[in-house]
Amino acid sequence: MIASGEVFLLNGETSGELKPQPCFLNRNIRVLAAGLDRAYVACESPVKSEEARQCQVFCYRGDASEPVPCPEFDAIEGRIRQIAIGSNHLLVLTYEGVVYSRGSAAYGCLGHGGAKDAPEFLPVPALRGKQVKIVAAGPMYSVAVTHDGDVYSWGQAFQGETGLFSAVEAVPRFAPAVTPFRVTEISCGHGHVLARTEGQQVISWGENTCGQLGLGQKCKPTYKPQVLDSIPSQIGMVSAGWAHSVAVGTDGRVYTWGLNSHGQLGLGDTATRMAPHLVHELVNVHQVESVQAAKTFTVFRTSAKRALLCGQVPCSPNSQVSPEFVPRRPGEKDPTGCLLSPVALNIATPTPTGKSYSELSDIAAFDKGALAFATSTVHRVEPNLAPSHGGTVVQAFVTGLPFERPRRKRSANETAEVLIQDTIPVMVRLKGTAPNLDVVVPGKIVNVDTVEFITPDVAQSPLGCVVEQGTTTAAVQLRISIDGGFTWTPDRTSAPTAADLDMTARPLERTSAKKKSNMQTGLKHFKGEFEATRHAQKCADLGSMVLWITRWPSDGPAHVEPCASPVGGGTEILLHCNLPSRMPTERLTVKFVCTPLLSLGDPALEATAPLRREVNDMILPNHDMLATMPLAMPLEVQVCGWLDPGGRGVRCVTPPLDAESVKFYTYSVELSLDGRAFLPRALPFAVFDLKVTGLEPNLGPLNDGTEVVIRTDGFVQTDIQRVRLDFPKDLGWPSKLVPASYDHTTGDVSFVMPDLSAEVRQRADEERAMVATLASQVAEPEAGADGGDAPAAAADAEVAAATAADPDGGLGGLEVFVELSLNGQNFTEDRIHFTYHSQLVAGALEVLAPPEGVVIEQPKEDPKAKKGKGAAVEEPPAAVQAMAGSKLGAELRAGAAETAFAAIRAELVTKVGDEEPQPFKVVDMPATLELLPVRAPTPPPPDPKAPAPPPPAAEDQQMRDMLVAFAPGVRFEDLPEGAALFMRAFQVSLNGKCFVACPELPPVKLEPLPKEAVAQEG
């Protein structure tokens, strides 16, 4: 292992978590070793120079939190490959296969022969030329394995731990009992040894007082290796603790046996096991890759690059850490300071709220704790989307990079301080498969754990040719090297597949389908939303670790739909753009650019602009400068976007803006695929603060459509105008959407209120049926009691029901709230209502009074006229006459309602002599609703001899609803010569749109305005 990264320490002072060791950040880690009471880290400087020492070794002893340099390792010639630790001696193996030893020579554990201690590292003479590949050490013994598979051991063997028949050997001896098994890995405990063979089996020998050999029972110590056939898995790794053993299968399963005094076997109890037992707590939960057994605990490294621990949590007798802060199993009462089953260890970060992205690649455990190493790993790429033609500045966030901050600020004349990151040859490798890509570009460390580089042009590569077709996006792995390409960070987890990316797209809401509203449906919907969100987050995490290469749109989005949004935001818009169907979406960004206006042409309104108000509050403002200033400050608001499921572009939700300042800006939207660089084309957009102030007219009949003009404040012209009608909740009717239209000549928005004839008929039929049912239920008992005819009674009930039912179905006076939308999504909430009035029934038109100030004399009776039998025949009455300004009225027998839009319509015709009347024009006379007394019939001629009748009482007078208007004025010269003017075909309306005919009467003669009156008016 030679790699840059982070070193973590677990001991009695770290509160049961892995804490980073910053002293190793600027170094490449070569070896991590631990055993008994200490641990070693061999490292080297990432910069090769004469001043930099080739390799340095540091030691953690006991509960120490700081490492101590070990200069004695400088005597070793060659690169260190492995360090083995005994009680009082050390073994070092180099890449050249040479074994060095130093320390106490008790029981010959150094292998030099004799009892002389070695204060410095010396090669083991007996192993020269043996090409050793593995060394291991116990408290007083040592073992070495050569490339040929030969096993040599020496030192104390009172329990047979050397695999030799003799009890003590001062020089390495060939172990004939072990060599035939072809050992590929070896681990030494206190008095027993575990080894893994080429056949992926476990063999053990030595002490078995606690069942650590896994033979199923206690037995005497043995120097002969015993094969453990009870383990069903093929073995990938073994580790021997003080008196317990652990084996990891190639399938990720873990088997433990031996002493279990502190729960170090991870089986949920403290009972000793004489044979291997599967750790069920890890099955189907964690895939274990490696394991390290210490004296009273065991540490596992999983495929997720995290650490688990079972057994006694490392603690110091003098530690100030409270037991409440150490790891524990939720809901379990484990012994104090112990974990009877594996529990995940937390990886500490420099900041309390930070998240660790480190991925552990190696762990070494000793009696007092453990050391862990996390190789430098790319955990985030930003931006993670780049065009195939290159040129994008990308930052890769990498754990464990060497970085040095300047010690002090330098003046302008001083030369730049040379920092460690400036001397490191950083290289970035872009590697892709299917299609192929392998390109190396230079990089630079610009901040803590941050490498910056510029993407290359890969358009001519196989990968670039594929993505330039515009149908897909390719993921490229990033690997970083800080030693000129000698070592690279590992490849990341596989990028999200095309199916994964498809599942992150938001589905189109189907509002037309009526959804069931119940608890089961709600829970199912909630679960689906939760799973979709979790899957999208997982894909986003995986996708952010790689760089995606795609075809970049050259001209940006084509148009936006809808092109307007209310100032409160919340509108889902679509930016039409030709994009690949599958691409990472977590960096899609839509920017709303608010450009301030310089003038509105309305000084009063400009005075309310934000910058104008601030300047006016100043003392002695500069008005010349004020005239050149914009009305408000520039503003940009960015929101997240997502791919349109239909493949048409990018969708987003508009943000809320300040309602008071909305009129002082022009708006546009821009699109970015990587969250940094925005595409060249900016699309115009509209933001409005719309309010509905009134309807003209605001009422209409139930049985006919009414064209209504909407009066608004803050209206802006858009391509979409839509009206929503909200009916009263007690009707249970859904809201209805109707289209609206914009008149470019008048600037009005109009729509047609729907005809409710079908609803009126349905409700009237239901009411008649209900009344008939009730009447028949009452009539049947009465008919039976009187002996009457039951069918006749039922017929009478139907007649009564038809008479009692409301012909309008109870909908007369229905108030419907009208809301307007300028984008089809967001509607106003001003609650302006339209009233449906009952069906109008109008009476005949009457001339109620002459114009104001005009008195019409009644014709006098001719005293010479003959009476009685000889009298002349009575002439027919003359036509009703009216003058300009005469008060006209029509009784409303049904459907009357207060309104400001009522009108009486009349057809004006002209007649010359006996010719047929000719149409002249149609006039609409504004009308009002008045409550007037019923006109009494014409009384007979009074008898002069009879006494005068008393005047009628005021309370006896009947009142009626009259629609009153004033007759129009027509100039005399506008009429044909010799023509008389008449009014006929009278109609009444409460809204000036929908008219109902009055009963036919003889035409009303209308006197034209004389020339004198016209002159006076002129």
Side-chain angles (χ1 to χ4, degrees):
M1 175 182 66
I2 302 178
S4 62
E6 300 171 282
V7 176
F8 298 89
L9 174 65
L10 170 70
N11 65 9
E13 301 295 332
T14 62
S15 305
E17 64 180 5
L18 294 165
K19 288 196 173 180
Q21 302 298 292
C23 56
F24 295 106
L25 272 183
N26 297 339
R27 302 173 183 271
N28 280 352
I29 305 303
R30 177 175 287 183
V31 176
L32 210 65
L36 297 175
D37 63 340
R38 57 198 185 278
Y40 290 89
V41 179
C43 57
E44 61 185 23
S45 173
V47 182
K48 303 298 182 183
S49 64
E50 296 181 359
E51 294 81 6
R53 303 174 66 179
Q54 189 169 7
C55 183
Q56 289 180 293
V57 179
F58 295 84
C59 175
Y60 287 91
R61 188 178 295 273
D63 293 319
S65 298
E66 296 293 333
V68 178
C70 302
E72 59 270 19
F73 284 85
D74 295 343
I76 297 175
E77 298 179 359
R79 295 177 300 155
I80 298 176
R81 179 175 183 174
Q82 191 179 356
I83 300 175
I85 304 163
S87 294
N88 295 297
H89 75 288
L90 290 173
L91 298 181
V92 173
L93 173 64
T94 67
Y95 278 91
E96 292 77 19
V98 179
V99 179
Y100 292 81
S101 65
R102 72 173 290 273
S104 173
Y107 299 101
C109 56
L110 294 182
H112 296 165
K116 185 178 179 180
D117 296 342
E120 295 182 356
F121 281 102
L122 297 174
V124 178
L127 295 178
R128 281 180 180 162
K130 299 293 186 183
Q131 289 297 310
V132 177
K133 68 174 182 179
I134 300 173
V135 293
M140 294 291 182
Y141 65 96
S142 305
V143 184
V145 182
T146 67
H147 280 277
D148 296 332
D150 296 334
V151 178
Y152 294 86
S153 56
W154 61 98
Q156 174 185 293
F158 295 163
Q159 308 295 333
E161 51 264 52
T162 59
L164 301 173
F165 180 77
S166 56
V168 175
E169 289 291 346
V171 295
R173 299 295 183 185
F174 178 74
V178 182
T179 299
F181 289 95
R182 307 296 294 176
V183 172
T184 58
E185 182 186 5
I186 195 164
S187 178
C188 297
H190 183 269
H192 75 292
V193 180
L194 293 182
R196 178 171 62 93
T197 68
E198 283 187 350
Q200 295 183 322
Q201 289 183 307
V202 179
I203 58 175
S204 61
W205 65 91
E207 185 183 4
N208 194 35
T209 55
C210 297
Q212 56 264 51
L213 296 186
L215 304 179
Q217 60 183 359
K218 290 184 179 181
C219 65
K220 293 181 180 180
T222 176
Y223 70 92
K224 295 181 179 180
Q226 306 295 312
V227 180
L228 302 186
D229 295 326
S230 59
I231 300 177
S233 302
Q234 292 184 325
I235 302 303
M237 184 178 183
V238 294
S239 182
W242 189 77
H244 74 285
S245 304
V246 187
V248 178
T250 55
D251 55 3
R253 298 195 171 197
V254 178
Y255 302 86
T256 59
W257 61 96
L259 182 65
N260 196 25
S261 58
H262 295 79
Q264 55 263 47
L265 299 186
L267 300 176
D269 54 35
T270 56
T272 297
R273 302 298 199 277
M274 297 294 171
H277 280 65
L278 175 66
V279 182
H280 290 278
E281 291 286 338
L282 300 176
V283 177
N284 298 328
V285 178
H286 297 285
Q287 191 85 1
V288 177
E289 292 185 346
S290 65
V291 65
Q292 287 289 318
K295 185 175 183 179
T296 58
F297 65 89
T298 306
V299 182
F300 309 91
R301 186 176 63 85
T302 67
S303 58
K305 313 303 181 184
R306 290 293 182 264
L308 309 176
L309 183 141
C310 63
Q312 185 180 31
V313 179
C315 60
S316 172
N318 301 322
S319 175
Q320 302 297 321
V321 179
S322 173
E324 287 79 10
F325 292 97
V326 300
R328 59 180 63 247
R329 290 195 301 160
E332 301 291 342
K333 295 183 179 180
D334 291 343
T336 303
C338 295
L339 301 171
L340 303 186
S341 294
V343 173
L345 292 177
N346 181 48
I347 299 178
T349 57
T351 57
T353 59
K355 178 182 178 182
S356 175
Y357 295 97
S358 302
E359 298 183 357
L360 303 180
S361 56
D362 194 15
I363 294 179
F366 58 106
D367 293 348
K368 296 295 184 178
L371 283 178
F373 175 69
T375 307
S376 294
T377 306
V378 178
H379 63 84
R380 192 168 87 252
V381 180
E382 193 174 296
N384 66 335
L385 189 69
S388 58
H389 54 74
T392 301
V393 178
V394 176
Q395 288 186 341
F397 295 87
V398 189
T399 60
L401 287 182
F403 183 79
E404 185 181 9
R405 296 190 181 277
R407 295 180 178 84
R408 62 184 180 87
K409 292 184 179 179
R410 61 184 180 87
S411 63
N413 298 328
E414 288 183 316
T415 58
E417 182 182 358
V418 178
L419 304 176
I420 187 171
Q421 60 267 24
D422 299 329
T423 62
I424 295 177
V426 180
M427 302 180 71
V428 181
R429 185 177 186 181
L430 288 72
K431 187 176 181 180
T433 56
N436 294 327
L437 177 70
D438 195 348
V439 180
V440 177
V441 296
K444 182 180 180 181
I445 300 176
V446 295
N447 205 337
V448 177
D449 294 347
T450 306
V451 171
E452 188 173 270
F453 68 98
I454 299 177
T455 58
D457 186 353
V458 298
Q460 303 303 320
S461 67
L463 181 141
C465 295
V466 172
V467 300
E468 279 299 317
Q469 297 176 5
T471 59
T472 186
T473 303
V476 175
Q477 299 279 351
L478 292 186
R479 304 182 69 185
I480 310 297
S481 173
I482 62 173
D483 53 14
F486 180 68
T487 60
W488 298 88
T489 58
D491 283 337
R492 297 300 311 162
T493 311
S494 298
T497 62
D500 292 333
L501 291 177
D502 287 342
M503 293 179 65
T504 63
R506 300 190 186 184
L508 289 173
E509 294 291 341
R510 300 190 178 274
T511 56
S512 59
K514 190 175 180 180
K515 297 180 180 178
K516 279 183 148 186
S517 178
N518 53 49
M519 182 175 291
Q520 183 177 3
T521 305
L523 290 176
K524 185 177 180 180
H525 178 73
F526 175 79
K527 181 180 179 181
E529 288 288 334
F530 176 79
E531 292 294 335
T533 303
R534 185 174 67 174
H535 184 84
Q537 184 61 46
K538 177 183 176 182
C539 287
D541 292 341
L542 291 176
S544 65
M545 300 176 187
V546 296
L547 181 65
W548 299 80
I549 304 297
T550 186
R551 181 183 62 83
W552 216 251
S554 58
D555 52 355
H559 65 279
V560 60
E561 178 187 0
C563 62
S565 168
V567 70
T571 303
E572 184 174 317
I573 64 174
L574 169 63
L575 282 75
H576 289 263
C577 189
N578 187 15
L579 297 175
S581 59
R582 300 183 180 100
M583 61 182 292
T585 61
E586 61 272 11
R587 295 294 176 185
L588 288 176
T589 305
V590 178
K591 180 170 66 175
F592 290 80
V593 181
C594 309
T595 305
L597 296 171
L598 294 177
S599 176
L600 291 174
D602 186 350
L605 184 58
E606 291 178 6
T608 63
L611 284 185
R612 296 290 193 270
R613 293 199 307 265
E614 294 179 5
V615 173
N616 289 333
D617 293 339
M618 299 172 57
I619 300 175
L620 301 177
N622 189 334
H623 294 284
D624 294 336
M625 183 180 295
L626 179 63
T628 62
M629 293 177 60
L631 300 177
M633 292 296 294
L635 180 66
E636 293 182 355
V637 182
Q638 297 184 7
V639 297
C640 297
W642 66 92
L643 286 180
D644 175 56
R648 294 173 294 176
V650 176
R651 290 182 174 269
C652 74
V653 176
T654 58
L657 299 172
D658 182 17
E660 295 183 358
S661 305
V662 63
K663 60 181 71 71
F664 305 118
Y665 291 98
T666 59
Y667 301 90
S668 61
V669 291
E670 299 179 10
L671 175 62
S672 173
L673 304 185
D674 58 8
R676 292 190 177 183
F678 286 85
L679 299 180
R681 179 181 296 169
L683 301 176
F685 197 71
V687 178
F688 55 84
D689 186 14
L690 179 66
K691 290 181 175 58
V692 175
T693 58
L695 305 175
E696 294 183 7
N698 62 351
L699 80 167
L702 288 164
N703 58 353
D704 196 2
T706 304
E707 184 177 357
V708 179
V709 175
I710 304 177
R711 298 303 177 192
T712 62
D713 182 22
F715 178 84
V716 297
Q717 184 178 347
T718 64
D719 297 334
I720 302 174
Q721 294 91 32
R722 194 167 297 167
V723 172
R724 187 187 71 205
L725 305 179
D726 297 332
F727 297 93
K729 293 183 179 179
D730 57 351
L731 292 179
W733 295 356
S735 298
K736 182 177 292 187
L737 297 179
V738 296
S741 59
Y742 176 73
D743 190 335
H744 292 270
T745 58
T746 63
D748 293 335
V749 177
S750 61
F751 71 101
V752 177
M753 287 295 294
D755 181 358
L756 299 184
S757 299
E759 288 81 358
V760 169
R761 287 194 300 270
Q762 179 181 356
R763 287 179 62 88
D765 293 343
E766 292 174 355
E767 185 175 349
R768 280 192 290 268
M770 180 179 64
V771 174
T773 302
L774 294 176
S776 62
Q777 291 175 354
V778 175
E780 288 178 1
E782 293 179 354
D786 299 339
D789 188 2
D796 294 340
E798 293 180 2
V799 174
T803 304
D806 183 359
D808 295 323
L811 296 180
L814 173 65
E815 292 186 352
V816 180
F817 292 103
V818 177
E819 307 295 352
L820 175 63
S821 172
L822 299 182
N823 57 19
Q825 298 183 34
N826 307 95
F827 290 84
T828 58
E829 297 293 339
D830 298 313
R831 313 304 286 171
I832 302 298
H833 66 266
F834 179 91
T835 303
Y836 280 103
H837 63 74
S838 302
Q839 183 176 357
L840 286 181
V841 178
L845 185 92
E846 303 175 15
V847 179
L848 300 178
E852 186 177 357
V854 177
V855 178
I856 299 178
E857 296 182 358
Q858 297 292 333
K860 297 181 180 180
E861 184 178 355
D862 187 1
K864 298 180 179 181
K866 297 182 178 180
K867 298 182 181 180
K869 294 181 180 180
V873 179
E874 184 176 356
E875 295 181 2
V880 178
Q881 293 188 359
M883 303 173 62
S886 294
K887 190 174 184 180
L888 310 179
E891 180 182 359
L892 297 184
R893 298 170 183 171
E898 287 289 344
T899 173
F901 305 98
I904 298 177
R905 175 174 290 177
E907 180 186 4
L908 301 185
V909 296
T910 58
K911 184 176 181 182
V912 179
D914 294 334
E915 296 178 2
E916 290 295 323
Q918 299 297 320
F920 181 64
K921 66 177 179 179
V922 176
V923 295
D924 288 343
M925 298 168 281
T928 58
L929 186 66
E930 297 183 8
L931 190 63
L932 300 177
V934 176
R935 177 176 290 183
T938 304
D943 188 356
K945 298 181 180 180
E955 59 270 12
D956 293 339
Q957 292 182 350
Q958 295 183 357
M959 308 300 287
R960 58 179 178 169
D961 290 319
M962 294 286 291
L963 201 60
V964 177
F966 294 95
V970 179
R971 297 188 305 178
F972 180 82
E973 55 269 24
D974 292 340
L975 301 177
E977 183 177 356
L981 183 63
F982 294 90
M983 293 189 296
R984 67 179 186 182
F986 291 97
Q987 302 177 61
V988 296
S989 172
L990 292 181
N991 60 12
K993 303 282 186 178
C994 306
F995 288 85
V996 175
C998 298
E1000 288 290 339
L1001 286 177
V1004 176
K1005 185 176 181 180
L1006 180 62
E1007 293 293 336
L1009 295 174
K1011 294 183 178 181
E1012 296 79 5
V1014 175
Q1016 291 176 2
E1017 290 183 0

